Amino acid sequence: MARKTIFAFSQNTQHQPDYNYIEGFLVGLATLGIEVRVDEWLVNIFGDYQSINRYQLEALMELCELCKVTVAKATYKLPEQCTLSKKDIATSLDEEAPLPKFCTGFIAGLSTVLNDLKLSAEHKEAIVETQALFAGFTSLERAKLTFSYSEPTRTFEQEALLATRRLASTIHALSDTLSMLPFDLDDFADSEFKGVDYNEFSDEELEAKDDTVSFLLQLDDVDSLHLLDEFLNVEEQVFITPAFKQQNEGHFWLIHETRPYMAVRFHKARLLFESNQFQKACTELEALLKLNPNDNQACRYLYANCLVLLKQWDKLKVLLSEYEEGGVFMRAADVLMRFALDGESAELNAIKQSLIKANKHFVKILTGQEKVRLHDVLGYTLGSKEEVITYIEMGGKKAWLSVEGSLFWLRNKKK
């Protein structure tokens, strides 16, 4: 399940790495033995991404932690599919094959922070040698260069096969070499972010906050809103002050310590939406989008449907111009707005067809022709049933029901 969840997230990112590359990258970081902020390695692996839900982030964090533990205990083993075939070494070393993907990710993971580290010559040499070995498994040509010797006792294929058996032990050996490296974690602090030093809080206080947030995010009754407000008020008094917001507005999600606040505030918006308090939900969502315009939480999807329900078309037009994307969320909001404002037309019918082509499940699930479970979706890929389910959970069905005749028109096959 975790692998599918990670894959679903990856499909909607800039780089779209496969699972083996992702694991290789995280093993590379684990081998360095330092803490790198989650938002930093997410961008390094995936590039730009529009949103990541709680389940996807948890799956990636679990994989990261597993890599750390197994590398530290010298029990890490490469994924079973990362093998070198004796009969067909060329296929095993195709750039899309598991082993090259893993090795490419591993090399990238080792490289991520090297320029920032105060490395001794010995440590630099150990890292470079390890990268050179793993590079030998990134293509057939590199394997020939890496495992062909001037006085060979074995063929390069035989040498490569022997080397694959030592890859895990090579990772452990490098980890041991670097384990005593005197990293200065202050070197990794992002000087761009100002405000309260989160180190002022004790481990006990931070753990208690994590427990509180986990509890609050499970509440699904509007009567629980006062509990969310109490948490948000405390955060805004002791940490996320007006001065802090002003200094860091625009990139809140890049500050790991603000994410509990952001998560609880988004959950508050969803509870307000579910209880039909659309204007109040809009206010929360507008604040979140101002703090984090990159919108890794996907607030814009719920916000778009809020604006439809409130018939705030001018705001919706601005939102659609700011977030041009290919999924059903913004396409559907655009189609629905056009229908509400101008009614059916040949031009709009053509636009409707482009929405339907973007996801063949959209009409049947949204109109109830196909029954699905509206819970336990851990992620989605574009064009999937899960994408439509997530759209409905973000208020999509309510939005269509609020525009008279829209669902009937959506089902009409007239082009």
Side-chain angles (χ1 to χ4, degrees):
M1 181 63 75
R3 183 183 291 259
K4 291 182 178 179
T5 302
I6 291 172
F7 175 75
F9 169 64
S10 179
Q11 288 299 103
N12 294 316
T13 65
Q14 179 185 9
H15 297 157
Q16 298 186 340
D18 80 342
Y19 188 88
N20 294 301
Y21 178 94
I22 297 166
E23 181 168 332
F25 191 103
L26 294 176
V27 170
L29 287 185
T31 304
L32 288 171
I34 64 170
E35 290 295 329
V36 178
R37 285 174 27 165
V38 176
D39 53 276
E40 291 181 356
W41 59 252
L42 279 174
V43 172
N44 281 319
I45 295 174
F46 298 100
D48 293 335
Y49 58 94
Q50 294 176 341
S51 64
I52 181 169
N53 66 38
R54 177 163 57 95
Y55 300 106
Q56 293 166 342
L57 184 59
E58 287 175 354
L60 284 162
M61 291 294 291
E62 287 175 8
L63 176 60
C64 182
E65 188 62 27
L66 179 63
C67 292
K68 288 181 184 178
V69 171
T70 53
V71 169
K73 293 183 177 181
T75 58
Y76 180 77
K77 295 181 180 179
L78 269 68
E80 291 183 2
Q81 62 270 29
C82 293
T83 58
L84 201 61
S85 171
K86 294 180 181 179
K87 297 180 179 179
D88 191 358
I89 192 170
T91 299
S92 298
L93 294 176
D94 180 83
E95 64 178 7
E96 297 299 324
L99 182 58
K101 288 289 188 182
F102 176 89
C103 292
T104 302
F106 179 74
I107 294 168
L110 286 180
S111 300
T112 301
V113 293
L114 286 184
N115 292 333
D116 298 318
L117 302 184
K118 299 174 181 177
L119 290 171
S120 67
E122 176 188 358
H123 288 141
K124 285 184 179 179
E125 183 179 358
I127 291 174
V128 170
E129 287 181 354
T130 302
Q131 287 180 313
L133 173 65
F134 277 75
F137 296 103
T138 57
S139 71
L140 182 62
E141 291 71 22
R142 292 299 296 268
K144 291 177 181 178
L145 290 172
T146 303
F147 302 111
S148 296
Y149 306 109
S150 57
E151 297 181 4
T153 58
R154 289 180 288 265
T155 65
F156 89 88
E157 292 94 341
Q158 291 171 324
E159 291 286 356
L161 287 165
L162 287 172
T164 56
R165 300 171 189 171
R166 300 194 299 268
L167 288 179
S169 60
T170 301
I171 292 171
H172 301 147
L174 179 60
S175 177
D176 290 341
T177 300
L178 300 176
S179 61
M180 300 306 292
L181 186 63
F183 292 123
D184 182 0
L185 294 182
D186 289 338
D187 290 343
F188 300 97
D190 192 335
S191 60
E192 182 182 7
F193 302 127
K194 311 293 183 182
V196 174
D197 182 357
Y198 220 62
N199 291 327
E200 292 179 8
F201 301 106
S202 68
D203 291 341
E204 290 76 15
E205 288 173 319
L206 293 176
E207 185 174 344
K209 178 183 283 192
D210 288 341
D211 291 341
T212 300
V213 171
S214 296
F215 167 73
L216 293 174
L217 294 180
Q218 294 177 33
L219 301 176
D220 57 4
D221 191 328
V222 68
D223 292 334
S224 304
L225 280 170
H226 70 284
L227 297 175
L228 277 68
D229 283 330
E230 287 178 13
F231 172 84
L232 295 172
N233 289 337
V234 171
E235 284 286 271
E236 290 172 347
Q237 290 173 23
V238 302
F239 177 35
I240 304 177
T241 61
F244 183 91
K245 288 180 181 178
Q246 183 178 5
Q247 290 166 338
N248 299 296
E249 183 180 292
H251 42 241
F252 247 55
W253 195 255
L254 295 178
I255 310 172
H256 185 70
E257 291 80 9
T258 65
R259 291 185 182 180
Y261 172 85
M262 299 288 280
V264 172
R265 196 160 184 184
F266 184 37
H267 189 57
K268 175 185 176 181
R270 295 190 69 166
L271 289 182
L272 288 168
F273 184 92
E274 290 302 322
S275 60
N276 298 327
Q277 299 181 64
F278 303 125
Q279 188 56 63
K280 289 183 178 180
C282 266
T283 300
E284 296 298 317
L285 295 165
E286 286 168 356
L288 288 168
L289 288 169
K290 187 176 181 180
L291 293 173
N292 178 41
N294 287 334
D295 192 25
N296 308 82
Q297 295 176 279
C299 299
R300 62 192 182 280
Y301 299 149
L302 186 62
Y303 182 48
N305 289 320
C306 257
L307 295 176
V308 171
L309 285 152
L310 293 170
K311 295 180 171 48
Q312 295 182 4
W313 307 120
D314 288 341
K315 283 188 175 182
L316 181 56
K317 289 175 183 177
V318 172
L319 182 72
L320 292 174
S321 69
E322 291 176 344
Y323 298 97
E324 297 180 6
E325 50 192 73
V328 300
F329 298 90
M330 294 315 209
R331 286 174 182 262
D334 181 48
V335 167
L336 195 48
M337 176 182 68
R338 291 169 183 265
F339 180 80
L341 290 174
D342 303 320
E344 182 179 0
S345 67
E347 179 184 1
L348 184 54
N349 284 338
I351 297 173
K352 178 181 74 172
Q353 289 305 316
S354 70
L355 168 63
I356 294 171
K357 288 180 180 179
N359 191 309
K360 64 181 181 181
H361 308 287
F362 184 77
V363 175
K364 287 186 177 180
I365 293 178
L366 188 69
T367 59
Q369 294 171 280
E370 180 178 350
K371 303 298 181 183
V372 293
R373 293 181 61 187
L374 296 181
H375 301 286
D376 303 324
V377 175
L378 304 183
Y380 65 86
T381 55
L382 296 181
S384 66
K385 291 183 180 181
E386 289 76 15
E387 183 185 22
V388 185
I389 294 171
T390 305
Y391 172 76
I392 293 173
E393 290 181 338
M394 288 289 189
K397 186 66 173 283
K398 279 189 175 184
W400 283 86
L401 288 171
S402 73
V403 177
E404 185 177 356
S406 62
L407 285 175
F408 177 79
W409 169 73
L410 181 66
R411 288 184 60 176
N412 191 337
K413 296 182 180 181
K414 179 181 177 182
K415 298 183 179 180

